[in-house]
């Protein structure tokens, strides 16, 4: 019997690199073919979903099944290309397993871009971007995203700050300070630079600006780094509560709070 390929969590969705168009025939990667044929025991005629980050969601039929390979034939578009909120996660890389976890969960929580940053207390010296992308793809497949977050080349903190876009605000997760929680920081009124006598007020981040979240390594930011970040225009120090969170927990908590306040969790 043929039908929809499903697993306990839902229908099978795969990310492919090439374009998706009606009747296009796609050769899955060897790993995807193995997954479809041997893990999911797919048969010719079974249906699954495909996305590539550009062309929306497509229904595709499995054809030309041999022992090791098959073809995926694009039948019809089943959903539009969707965008997540424009939210970057800038994080100091941690050890391999927690970084895998962080990339997967940040993708599920809807980060649009992941930027590893080397700080003074970052212990990890190299980042495997291919591995990060593979984790992001897996999480996008599983969570129903039609895009995959961009994974940027890691940068040292000074360099990152030197080239920081002027129109992007930075929620600086600062465990050591007197910072406000994110909700209060968003609600805080600041005197408008245009207003006379500071009478007119504007909410922090009002308008069309975009956002990033910055979290540190297991050892935290050093005092000089904290001072430099805090002194920047557009950087808003925030607390994630009284408890010190592990680096991966902090990044994910901040993403969840942002998405519920300013993101697409409404
Ligand atoms: N320096 C700390 C641990 C750092 S936790 C220590 O050793 O005691 C790793 C990162 O998570 C921090 O740099 C910060 O960005 C974030 N973080 C953890 N807990 C936080 C909190 N309660 N508020 C804001 N940021 C936090």
């Amino acid at each position: 019997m043929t039908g929809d390929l499903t697993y306990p969590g839902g229908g099978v969705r795969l990310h492919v690199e090439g374009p998706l168009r009606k009747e296009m025939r796609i050769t899955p990667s060897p790993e995807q073919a193995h997954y479809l044929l041997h893990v999911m025991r797919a048969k010719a005629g079974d249906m699954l979903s495909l996305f590539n980050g550009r062309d929306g969601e497509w229904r595709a039929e499995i054809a030309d099944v041999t022992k090791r390979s098959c073809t995926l034939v694009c039948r019809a578009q089943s959903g539009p290309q969707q965008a997540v909120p424009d939210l970057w996660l800038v994080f100091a890389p941690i050890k391999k397993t927690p970084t895998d976890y962080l990339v997967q969960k940040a993708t599920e929580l809807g980060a649009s871009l992941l930027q590893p940053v080397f700080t003074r207390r970052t212990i990890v010296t190299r980042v495997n971007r291919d591995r990060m992308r593979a984790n992001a793809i897996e999480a996008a497949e599983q969570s129903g995203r039609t895009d995959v977050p961009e994974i940027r080349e890691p940068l040292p903190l000074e360099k990152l700050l030197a080239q920081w876009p002027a129109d992007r605000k930075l929620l600086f997760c600062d465990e050591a300070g007197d910072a406000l929680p994110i909700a209060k920081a968003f609600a805080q009124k600041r005197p408008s630079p245009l207003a006379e006598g500071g009478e007119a007020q504007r909410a922090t981040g009002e308008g069309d600006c975009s956002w990033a979240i910055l979290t540190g390594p297991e050892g935290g930011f050093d005092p000089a780094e904290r001072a430099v970040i805090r002194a920047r225009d557009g950087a808003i120090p925030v607390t994630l509560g009284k408890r010190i969170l592990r680096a991966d927990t902090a990044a994910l908590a901040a993403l969840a709070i942002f998405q519920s306040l300013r993101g697409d969790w409404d």
Side-chain angles (χ1 to χ4, degrees):
M1 234 178 65
T2 60
D4 265 21
L5 278 183
T6 56
Y7 64 100
V12 170
R13 294 178 83 235
L14 291 182
H15 175 268
V16 294
E17 296 293 342
L20 294 168
R21 309 258 181 279
K22 205 162 163 52
E23 302 313 322
M24 191 162 246
R25 299 175 77 83
I26 295 158
T27 307
S29 69
E31 295 76 27
Q32 288 174 330
H34 170 76
Y35 169 72
L36 290 171
L37 299 174
H38 303 125
V39 181
M40 300 309 298
R41 301 185 181 284
K43 308 265 173 301
D46 282 345
M47 301 295 291
L48 75 163
S49 296
L50 300 178
F51 67 105
N52 63 3
R54 304 180 297 279
D55 298 326
E57 180 108 359
W58 285 75
R59 299 294 286 155
E61 185 178 332
I62 295 186
D64 307 336
V65 174
T66 69
K67 234 182 180 159
R68 280 176 209 282
S69 71
C70 61
T71 305
L72 310 176
V73 188
C74 271
R75 291 301 186 207
Q77 186 166 357
S78 53
Q81 180 61 37
Q82 282 169 332
V84 294
D86 178 4
L87 173 61
W88 294 7
L89 174 63
V90 182
F91 68 101
I94 39 186
K95 279 181 274 167
K96 204 156 50 173
T97 307
T99 295
D100 287 350
Y101 174 83
L102 175 58
V103 170
Q104 289 166 16
K105 304 303 156 197
T107 304
E108 289 170 41
L109 292 171
S112 64
L113 178 148
L114 305 180
Q115 168 71 67
V117 61
F118 290 124
T119 65
R120 290 197 189 158
R121 295 182 186 162
T122 304
I123 294 164
V124 171
T125 53
R126 291 182 56 191
V127 170
N128 184 340
R129 275 173 84 204
D130 289 342
R131 189 182 170 104
M132 286 179 65
R133 179 156 163 87
N135 274 302
I137 287 174
E138 192 188 309
E141 287 173 342
Q142 182 270 327
S143 64
R145 273 179 78 153
T146 51
D147 66 334
V148 177
E150 182 183 340
I151 314 278
R152 286 264 169 100
E153 191 78 59
L155 285 174
L157 182 63
E158 308 82 71
K159 214 168 180 180
L160 179 78
L161 294 178
Q163 62 188 54
W164 191 257
D167 57 352
R168 186 171 295 274
K169 296 204 181 226
L170 188 60
L171 288 174
F172 165 40
C173 297
D174 185 358
E175 83 281 11
D178 43 354
L180 290 172
I182 295 177
K184 287 206 177 126
F186 278 152
Q188 195 188 34
K189 303 281 185 189
R190 290 183 171 185
S192 164
L194 301 175
E196 292 211 353
E199 261 172 67
Q201 307 270 299
R202 70 185 164 89
T204 306
E206 194 181 49
D208 284 339
C209 77
S210 28
W211 292 89
I213 289 166
L214 170 64
T215 55
E218 294 300 5
F221 291 98
D222 88 359
E225 288 174 328
R226 290 184 59 236
V228 168
I229 300 165
R230 278 177 163 247
R232 284 191 66 87
D233 231 16
I236 303 165
V238 289
T239 177
L240 298 169
K242 295 187 187 73
R243 292 165 291 278
I244 300 291
L245 308 176
R246 292 284 296 264
D248 47 350
T249 317
L252 302 179
L255 282 169
I257 295 166
F258 180 95
Q259 295 292 35
S260 68
L261 295 171
R262 286 282 170 105
D264 60 359
W265 286 12
D266 43 21

